[in-house]
Amino acid sequence: MEQRKTISSNIAFRKYFLSWMLLLLAYIITEYFNLNRFWDYGVWTIALLTFVLFISLKKVEFTKNALYFDNKKNEYESITGLKVFEIQQRSFYLFKTNSTRIFKRYHLTELGGIGYFAILKILFTKSADTELVLAEFLKLLDEKSNIPKTH
């Protein structure tokens, strides 16, 4: 059996800790600071949108034959679209598959970005293995997926 390589970064931290801490922070801000109603709604809107974004993140692993979103196997051929968007200099990737169910069709993740700890790890290790894994994943995705190529 081929070893899976993890390509997503900090998913568990964002999904299970940071998302709930943002809601707690929003509660503390609106409860203990005397803000008018506009700012209360603004804080809760931003907190809820960020909560939904973080809670919907999926861990992505891959092999040469398949892609795994939260340990659910998907073939490369089933990927039909890829959208990339950036929030506060963090790139999020939305994979679209050919599944008929809406909740299994879209998979949101944040791929291995380079943060402060990753830079320190690269500096103190002999090889930059994280960049090689990302390049290998993108090459496999380009070769085997059904994402339309734009020129």
Side-chain angles (χ1 to χ4, degrees), residues 53-64:
L53 175 74
F54 285 164
I55 220 65
S56 64
L57 289 175
K58 296 189 184 211
K59 180 176 80 168
V60 178
E61 299 172 321
F62 74 98
T63 62
K64 292 184 179 179

Side-chain angles (χ1 to χ4, degrees), residues 8-22 50-58 87-92 109-115:
S8 53
S9 64
N10 285 337
I11 300 300
F13 174 75
R14 284 191 176 88
K15 191 172 192 174
Y16 301 113
F17 178 75
L18 195 59
S19 59
W20 293 102
M21 287 304 296
L22 284 171
T50 308
F51 175 79
V52 169
L53 175 74
F54 285 164
I55 220 65
S56 64
L57 289 175
K58 296 189 184 211
I87 299 174
Q88 291 185 350
Q89 299 173 349
R90 296 185 191 273
S91 296
F92 292 93
T109 191
E110 181 180 5
L111 298 183
I114 302 231

Side-chain angles (χ1 to χ4, degrees), residues 81-135:
L82 175 65
K83 301 285 185 204
V84 180
F85 59 96
E86 190 173 305
I87 299 174
Q88 291 185 350
Q89 299 173 349
R90 296 185 191 273
S91 296
F92 292 93
Y93 297 82
L94 182 66
F95 291 92
K96 182 181 178 186
T97 61
N98 60 2
S99 177
T100 56
R101 299 181 62 196
I102 187 80
F103 292 113
K104 292 188 177 191
R105 184 178 303 160
Y106 296 99
H107 304 283
L108 180 68
T109 191
E110 181 180 5
L111 298 183
I114 302 231
Y116 298 116
F117 293 117
I119 291 172
L120 288 175
K121 181 181 174 186
I122 289 170
L123 289 175
F124 291 112
T125 58
K126 293 183 181 177
S127 67
D129 195 30
T130 51
E131 289 183 349
L132 296 176
V133 172
L134 182 60

